[in-house]
Amino acid sequence: MASSDVQSDESLYPIAVLIDELRNEDVQLRLNSIKKLSTIALALGVERTRSELIPFLTDTIYDEDEVLLALAEQLGTFTQLVGGDSYVHVLLPPLESLAQVEETIVRDKAVESLRTLAPQHSTTDLETYFVPTVKRLAQGDWFTSRTSASGLISVCYARVSNHVKGELRQLFKNLCQDDTPMVRRAAASKLGEFAKVVEPEYLRQELVPLFNNLANDEQDSVRLLAIEAGIAMAGLFRHEDLEQQMMQTLRAATEDKSWRVRYVVADKLVEVLQKAVGQEITKNDLVTAYCSLLKDPEAEVRAAAASKLKDFSNNLPTDTREQIIMSQILPCVKDLVGDMNQHVKSALASVIMGLAPILGKDNTMEHLLPLFLNQLKDDFPEVRLNIISNLDCINEVIGVRQLSQSLLPAIVELASDAKWRVRLGIIEYMPLLAGQLGSEFFDEKLSSLCMSWLTDHVFAIREAATNNLKKLVEKFGRDWAQNTVIPKVIQLARDQNYLYRMTCLFAINVLAEPCGQDVTQRMMLPTVITLGSDAVANVRFNVAKTLQRIYPAIDQNTLASHVKPCLEKLCQDSDHDVQHFANEALEKELAEFLDPQGRLDLKSLALQTLISLTASKEGRHLILASPNTDSNTSLLSRVCHLIFEDVQESVRFDALLFLINLTSDSELSILNCKQTSILSDFWLQLLKRCVQDRQYEHADAGCKLLSNVTSRAITVDQLNDFTEYLDKGYPSWFDDLIRAFSTIDYNLKKNNLDYLSAILVNLTQLKTIRERLRNEEHLKRLLCFTDHTHSTIRRGSVACILKNCCFDHESHEQLVHQIGNNDDFICALLLPLSVATADELTEEENDQVPIDLQYLPSNKQLEPDRDIQLILLETILLLCATKSVREYLRSKQIYYILRQYHQQPNLDFACNRTCERIIQILIGDEDYNVETDNLMELNIPHDLREKFHEIDRKEEEANKTEE
């Protein structure tokens, strides 16, 4: 019974949490709870969502607008959460309530969700549930519900019976004739959509009269929406029926008393109306209407109509197009050229050029050219700019030379306009003008203007001017650049204003590629090198960026003889930003020299420079953080290739040394860097070389690199991915590693492979590796290496491996009883901590300790490294956590060994304290009231834990004082 109650409480938990959060005073908390509705519904299941959650939401729709908005949005995606399409109707009640609230944005979102759910209803459910919902909304007392109903009728109309269709048409008619303007406005906005699903006979009989009534409504907001709907409806009629049904109303709209309605007609004239009514009605009606709009008293309407000039003209009947334009439209256009409103003239200027291809050369010369020239002299810069930006249209017909004399003053005036955006606009069109006017005219009239923009006081103008120069060089060629552009750019390097000296560098950045290697090295590179000694730091670091940018246009000899010394000098700059960009540029340049088939002197020089970069933390971070745009040519990829492919031993070693330094940073892992993808196969190949190839001369360096890579700088997840990758590409890697490490003189080139143990230490952070060590009997092969005759690295690493294995308390018995023979594991830990036992212990005490610790000679040496001593003691302390192992350690009387160790002079404080803790555990009485056999799982109260830490701190401070 109690179990049943618990299950009931748990099943009620999600809904209880929702209720509590929705009643919270914090709006944000209520909003967050609504956004988690789908999660709560999943927890409840579809049945309880339908029977409990949806009714609860329906009854509690009284909240802040943002909460209701989130709810309306969520419910539109709830179909699967309530059981699929068969039960989608249960979502209608809360959405119906939301569709009636006062806030418009909430209603609109609720209607949007209802429109989404409508197609998911079956035909039966649509008439049973959805249509009644629409009826209730359409017949609601408050206008909000009726406005929402307007958007729902069209989505269900096509799938219901004829009888219900008649009811829906009547509902829509009532909405169009509603007393409230807001309802009529909503109905008018959906009229075009509804017309697309209504049968043709009802379209003529019922909807056209509704359109005519709405188009003549007293509210202009209703009329303009009706006109939009009418334009959409026009496409549903045959051209011969359109005149009879709708054209009178649409024609009248062009003369509507509200300028907003006329604006809608002007705006939609071409895109919808002209294409819908066909060319005949266009010729008979729309041309007159369009000319009327071009002469409209409101500037906004004239501007909208003017912007459609080109498109409207293109859609005129081909046989009469020219005649209509010349006789009816062009006189209106001539009036607009002198319009008082700048927006009208600007709109006209952006499209008037489009008439030239339509009217042909003669008419353009006679009628349009005077208009263009007039607009080029307009007082407003936007008008002049729009004319210039469309010169390509007239160039195809009469050639831009006809305008050249008028163009020049307009361009000069725009180039010096007070508004910098106007100046920016004319710069963007300069390459187009250059191509049309030719290099001679350009050099004579506009070249000095382009150069003057390089010294503009606005940076955006100077930047655009440099890009403009690049386009001009691409158009006119390198010879033109050498004679006209580059000398003037280089002259900026001697300007007193440092901003202009920087502009010189920016220009060189973009000109190097189109100018080619010869021009770049001969004319521009010396200027860049000279600016490397500039007094302003901003100029100097831009020199570094420029050298990085233009290096593809420089040969290797020049890079080595001129660029590299300059960058090395900048790397020693007093300014940190200069150093950063110089290091970045130097790295990119050096990568070009690291080719296994390249010159030995350049490779060696590049590697030595890179090694010096890795000497600093900033240099290492810079290299690892460099973006990798091409994995085949990145710096690290090239270095990896050198390690395996270069024929020179010294180059291979320097490449390894570079990576060792690079991976020595404990804060940034190479596995996290952006160039890792090109290195993944490298690690596998390197490990293979180190543990399989007994002739590999750089095995120790390779092991050290692998040790760095698997160090603490990466996460356990990354380490796990790394081992999985090795298992997949090299299944026997672990067995080969243990064999290579445990075999004395395995490497025939005198590499001791000590750092293989460091790799193992890093890998034993993973439980899977620790299990592999224990279960595959690899661990017993490592026990002998705690002896003092081996190197400190090997002894310390093996001690760490043993300690890591002891963190799995469930494996303690396996470690002390199954690893090796007899007491091998505990002896491997205690032997380095033991001194002579032959004379110091009695015969009885000697017989009680493990056999490998009995009668040790007087020359037995204690482990000399205090850190290793501490690791071994901490390993024994970990073993003491398990009750069965504590009993085993007591039975082996290891207390005698630890007692001797504790009596040693000058014992390290941490070692002394750890040894005392082990002794206290072993000689103390076992507390049989403790519920757990594992002391590591013992729950120590927080206050006692803090008290113990405080005691430790005081002991450490006292020890420091004594020292």
Side-chain angles (χ1 to χ4, degrees):
M1 186 66 183
S3 174
S4 176
D5 291 342
V6 170
Q7 290 177 358
S8 177
D9 289 345
E10 289 178 353
S11 67
L12 290 172
Y13 180 72
I15 200 82
V17 169
L18 177 63
I19 292 170
D20 287 344
E21 289 187 347
L22 287 179
R23 289 175 177 169
N24 196 289
E25 293 182 359
D26 187 350
V27 175
Q28 190 60 45
L29 186 61
R30 299 202 301 274
L31 182 60
N32 291 339
S33 69
I34 289 295
K35 290 180 177 178
K36 292 186 292 185
L37 271 183
S38 57
T39 305
I40 294 171
L42 282 171
L44 290 172
V46 293
E47 187 173 341
R48 292 191 62 208
T49 298
R50 294 195 301 267
S51 61
E52 297 178 33
L53 180 58
I54 300 301
F56 168 74
L57 294 172
T58 306
D59 295 338
T60 56
I61 297 180
Y62 306 101
D63 208 324
E64 299 289 339
D65 293 334
E66 54 262 47
V67 178
L68 298 181
L69 178 64
L71 177 59
E73 184 176 9
Q74 287 281 312
L75 290 175
T77 62
F78 249 55
T79 304
Q80 298 305 318
L81 297 174
V82 295
D85 293 351
S86 301
Y87 297 97
V88 69
H89 61 270
V90 302
L91 298 171
L92 298 181
L95 285 171
E96 181 181 348
S97 299
L98 289 167
Q100 301 178 57
V101 300
E102 190 172 350
E103 178 56 45
T104 304
I105 191 171
V106 177
R107 293 201 311 272
D108 290 346
K109 183 58 71 174
V111 169
E112 182 184 325
S113 293
L114 285 168
R115 288 167 65 91
T116 302
L117 299 179
Q120 298 171 16
H121 286 73
S122 65
T123 303
T124 304
D125 286 347
L126 203 62
E127 293 192 9
T128 306
Y129 300 106
F130 195 86
V131 172
T133 299
V134 176
K135 288 180 179 179
R136 287 192 297 273
L137 289 171
Q139 296 166 357
D141 294 334
W142 194 239
F143 80 91
T144 53
S145 66
R146 302 200 296 277
T147 58
S148 296
S150 302
L152 299 175
I153 294 176
S154 61
V155 295
C156 62
Y157 182 85
R159 296 175 56 213
V160 297
S161 63
N162 290 334
H163 172 70
V164 177
K165 284 181 177 178
E167 292 180 349
L168 290 176
R169 290 197 303 274
Q170 185 59 45
L171 284 177
F172 194 81
K173 181 178 179 181
N174 294 340
L175 294 172
C176 290
Q177 296 172 350
D178 197 276
D179 294 335
T180 309
M182 286 80 82
V183 178
R184 297 200 303 275
R185 187 162 60 236
S189 69
K190 299 299 179 182
L191 179 60
E193 179 184 300
F194 188 43
K196 293 177 182 178
V197 296
V198 170
E199 296 82 355
E201 62 269 24
Y202 297 119
L203 176 62
R204 296 188 187 90
Q205 295 171 13
E206 298 183 17
L207 294 196
V208 170
L210 291 178
F211 160 69
N212 291 328
N213 290 336
L214 291 171
N216 292 290
D217 195 276
E218 60 183 12
Q219 295 283 331
D220 63 349
S221 59
V222 176
R223 294 201 305 276
L224 68 89
L225 290 170
I227 293 301
E228 288 189 12
I231 292 172
M233 289 170 64
L236 303 175
F237 288 97
R238 291 180 301 175
H239 294 161
E240 54 268 26
D241 295 335
L242 188 61
E243 174 66 34
Q244 180 184 355
Q245 298 289 341
M246 299 182 64
M247 277 311 298
Q248 184 177 352
T249 303
L250 291 173
R251 199 180 298 118
T254 62
E255 299 175 358
D256 193 278
K257 60 184 178 182
S258 171
W259 72 268
R260 290 183 176 85
V261 176
R262 302 196 302 275
Y263 177 86
V264 169
V265 177
D267 190 51
K268 304 291 184 181
L269 192 67
V270 176
E271 288 84 347
V272 181
L273 186 56
Q274 189 180 20
K275 293 178 181 178
V277 301
Q279 293 188 343
E280 192 61 32
I281 295 178
T282 295
K283 182 172 64 174
N284 296 333
D285 287 292
L286 290 191
V287 172
T288 305
Y290 181 63
C291 291
S292 174
L293 293 170
L294 288 174
K295 298 175 181 178
D296 197 275
E298 286 293 334
E300 286 82 356
V301 179
R302 296 199 303 276
S307 67
K308 306 298 179 182
L309 174 64
K310 178 181 176 182
D311 293 335
F312 185 83
S313 300
N314 278 326
N315 287 319
L316 289 171
T318 308
D319 56 339
T320 58
R321 180 186 299 164
E322 184 177 333
Q323 185 266 329
I324 290 173
I325 294 174
M326 295 298 298
S327 62
Q328 297 183 59
I329 296 177
L330 194 57
C332 300
V333 171
K334 290 179 179 179
D335 293 338
L336 290 180
V337 169
D339 198 281
M340 298 297 292
N341 188 284
Q342 71 176 90
H343 300 294
V344 175
K345 291 190 289 186
S346 180
L348 179 65
S350 65
V351 294
I352 192 173
M353 290 286 194
L355 292 180
I358 299 173
L359 295 179
K361 182 175 181 179
D362 293 338
N363 285 327
T364 298
M365 291 286 291
E366 183 179 352
H367 298 285
L368 291 183
L369 188 58
L371 300 181
F372 300 155
L373 297 176
N374 194 5
Q375 287 183 304
L376 281 172
K377 299 173 184 177
D378 197 273
D379 294 336
F380 296 103
E382 288 83 359
V383 177
R384 304 194 299 272
L385 191 60
N386 283 345
I387 286 291
I388 291 171
S389 66
N390 289 281
L391 283 176
D392 53 333
C393 296
I394 196 171
N395 189 47
E396 296 171 1
V397 180
I398 63 172
V400 79
R401 287 276 181 177
Q402 298 287 342
L403 285 174
S404 59
Q405 297 305 316
S406 298
L407 272 176
L408 193 58
I411 292 172
V412 171
E413 194 170 343
L414 287 170
S416 57
D417 194 275
K419 297 177 182 177
W420 68 269
R421 283 185 172 83
V422 175
R423 302 200 299 276
L424 184 64
I426 193 63
I427 292 174
E428 292 173 353
Y429 296 113
M430 195 56 67
L432 174 66
L433 286 171
Q436 294 167 352
L437 295 172
S439 60
E440 293 182 9
F441 182 89
F442 187 85
D443 287 347
E444 181 184 350
K445 306 293 184 181
L446 298 177
S447 175
S448 59
L449 193 61
C450 289
M451 300 310 298
S452 69
W453 284 323
L454 292 173
T455 55
D456 195 279
H457 63 276
V458 177
F459 172 75
I461 302 297
R462 299 197 299 274
E463 183 181 39
T466 59
N467 293 324
N468 174 53
L469 289 180
K470 178 184 178 182
K471 295 174 183 176
L472 292 174
V473 171
E474 290 171 347
K475 195 172 290 289
F476 292 150
R478 297 176 184 176
D479 292 338
W480 178 83
Q482 289 185 75
N483 299 325
T484 307
V485 174
I486 296 177
K488 296 178 181 178
V489 168
I490 292 174
Q491 191 175 349
L492 290 175
R494 295 188 289 275
D495 197 284
Q496 292 185 352
N497 189 328
Y498 82 96
L499 294 175
Y500 300 158
R501 300 200 295 276
M502 286 171 59
T503 302
C504 170
L505 293 171
F506 298 153
I508 291 173
N509 282 343
V510 299
L511 291 176
E513 181 182 351
C515 287
Q517 187 180 94
D518 177 60
V519 176
T520 301
Q521 290 186 178
R522 180 166 47 83
M523 299 185 71
M524 292 188 281
L525 183 60
T527 299
V528 179
I529 300 296
T530 302
L531 288 174
S533 303
D534 197 276
V536 179
N538 284 30
V539 177
R540 296 199 301 278
F541 80 63
N542 273 290
V543 166
K545 293 170 75 172
T546 299
L547 290 173
Q548 181 178 349
R549 179 83 176 268
I550 68 173
Y551 87 90
I554 303 173
D555 62 44
Q556 284 200 348
N557 287 332
T558 307
L559 283 173
S561 60
H562 293 87
V563 177
K564 183 174 175 291
C566 178
L567 288 174
E568 287 177 339
K569 178 183 175 183
L570 292 174
C571 286
Q572 307 301 319
D573 198 276
S574 57
D575 187 273
H576 291 296
D577 290 332
V578 177
Q579 290 179 24
H580 171 82
F581 288 110
N583 282 327
E584 194 176 75
L586 189 59
E587 174 201 333
K588 190 168 184 178
E589 180 209 333
L590 293 174
E592 294 299 306
F593 301 141
L594 303 179
D595 183 355
Q597 309 305 321
R599 285 169 47 184
L600 174 61
D601 58 334
L602 292 179
K603 280 186 291 190
S604 299
L605 186 63
L607 283 171
Q608 289 302 319
T609 305
L610 285 172
I611 290 171
S612 67
L613 270 179
T614 59
S616 68
K617 182 177 180 180
E618 292 77 11
R620 294 191 296 271
H621 282 229
L622 172 69
I623 294 171
L624 287 177
S626 296
N628 175 28
T629 54
D630 185 353
S631 60
N632 294 318
T633 60
S634 67
L635 173 68
L636 296 185
S637 176
R638 290 172 179 268
V639 172
C640 293
H641 287 303
L642 287 180
I643 290 172
F644 294 134
E645 298 174 16
D646 202 273
V647 296
Q648 189 69 27
E649 187 270 342
S650 62
V651 171
R652 297 197 298 272
F653 180 76
D654 283 346
L656 268 174
L657 184 59
F658 163 71
L659 289 180
I660 290 171
N661 288 356
L662 189 63
T663 55
S664 64
D665 201 312
S666 61
E667 295 180 11
L668 189 62
S669 166
I670 199 169
L671 294 183
N672 288 328
C673 86
K674 299 176 183 177
Q675 306 189 55
T676 302
S677 59
I678 55 93
L679 294 173
S680 55
D681 187 57
F682 168 75
W683 304 121
L684 188 148
Q685 297 302 324
L686 181 62
L687 182 61
K688 271 188 178 180
R689 293 289 294 273
C690 291
V691 300
Q692 280 189 343
D693 186 357
R694 302 186 68 175
Q695 298 284 347
Y696 186 36
E697 71 274 19
H698 299 313
D700 276 347
C703 292
K704 189 166 186 179
L705 175 56
L706 288 166
S707 170
N708 286 351
V709 168
T710 55
S711 69
R712 61 186 182 278
I714 61 175
T715 65
V716 172
D717 288 338
Q718 287 175 311
L719 204 56
N720 191 54
D721 292 341
F722 188 73
T723 56
E724 287 178 359
Y725 158 73
L726 292 178
D727 286 335
K728 185 177 180 181
Y730 180 14
S732 64
W733 71 272
F734 195 73
D735 296 335
D736 291 349
L737 189 153
I738 296 294
R739 184 183 70 254
F741 174 71
S742 58
T743 303
I744 303 300
D745 296 330
Y746 178 82
N747 185 279
L748 303 179
K749 294 292 185 179
K750 305 299 181 183
N751 289 270
N752 55 40
L753 304 184
D754 285 346
Y755 278 99
L756 283 178
S757 58
I759 299 171
L760 276 174
V761 172
N762 299 330
L763 295 181
T764 51
Q765 295 176 67
L766 300 176
K767 189 166 185 174
T768 53
I769 297 297
R770 298 197 295 270
E771 289 174 351
R772 198 180 296 188
L773 269 174
R774 293 192 300 267
N775 298 337
E776 298 178 13
E777 298 190 352
H778 290 314
L779 193 60
K780 67 180 182 181
R781 301 184 67 174
L782 307 181
L783 298 179
C784 62
F785 295 114
T786 59
D787 185 78
H788 74 278
T789 56
H790 299 286
S791 70
T792 303
I793 294 172
R794 186 173 286 240
R795 299 197 314 273
S797 297
V798 170
C800 287
I801 293 168
L802 300 182
K803 178 181 176 182
N804 287 350
C805 288
C806 289
F807 280 109
D808 303 320
H809 65 87
E810 67 275 8
S811 68
H812 283 182
E813 289 196 40
Q814 179 189 5
L815 289 172
V816 298
H817 295 305
Q818 298 177 22
I819 301 299
N821 300 316
N822 299 322
D823 308 311
D824 286 357
F825 190 82
I826 191 64
C827 288
L829 299 175
L830 286 171
L831 194 59
L833 302 174
S834 303
V835 290
T837 56
D839 300 329
E840 299 297 330
L841 298 183
T842 65
E843 186 174 340
E844 180 182 356
E845 289 172 339
N846 264 304
D847 290 340
Q848 290 177 343
V849 299
I851 191 168
D852 287 347
L853 302 176
Q854 294 177 7
Y855 302 103
L856 295 177
S858 57
N859 62 349
K860 169 66 176 72
Q861 294 182 13
L862 184 70
E863 166 59 53
D865 190 285
R866 293 184 177 184
D867 291 331
I868 298 177
Q869 291 179 30
L870 182 59
I871 294 168
L872 294 169
L873 288 166
E874 288 173 343
T875 307
I876 298 170
L877 186 59
L878 285 171
L879 288 172
C880 290
T882 311
K883 183 177 179 180
S884 59
V885 176
R886 292 197 297 275
E887 292 174 349
Y888 161 78
L889 295 176
R890 292 189 185 106
S891 70
K892 295 300 178 180
Q893 297 297 334
I894 71 164
Y895 161 71
Y896 298 141
I897 305 297
L898 294 173
R899 182 186 64 189
Q900 276 189 295
Y901 172 79
H902 189 258
Q903 292 171 353
Q904 297 303 305
N906 301 321
L907 201 60
D908 181 75
F909 172 75
C911 294
N912 182 66
R913 185 171 61 183
T914 306
C915 182
E916 288 176 354
R917 288 175 177 171
I918 299 171
I919 292 172
Q920 287 169 3
I921 292 173
L922 294 180
I923 67 175
D925 295 330
E926 197 71 46
D927 188 353
Y928 293 97
N929 294 321
V930 176
E931 296 180 357
T932 178
D933 286 341
N934 178 20
L935 295 182
M936 286 192 287
E937 294 177 348
L938 200 60
N939 186 20
I940 302 173
H942 180 72
D943 56 335
L944 286 179
R945 191 185 298 273
E946 287 296 319
K947 187 175 181 181
F948 294 151
H949 287 325
E950 183 61 28
I951 292 172
D952 288 345
R953 281 194 294 269
K954 288 182 178 178
E955 287 181 357
E956 289 176 6
E957 290 174 2
N959 177 69
K960 290 178 181 178
T961 303
E962 289 178 7
E963 289 179 351

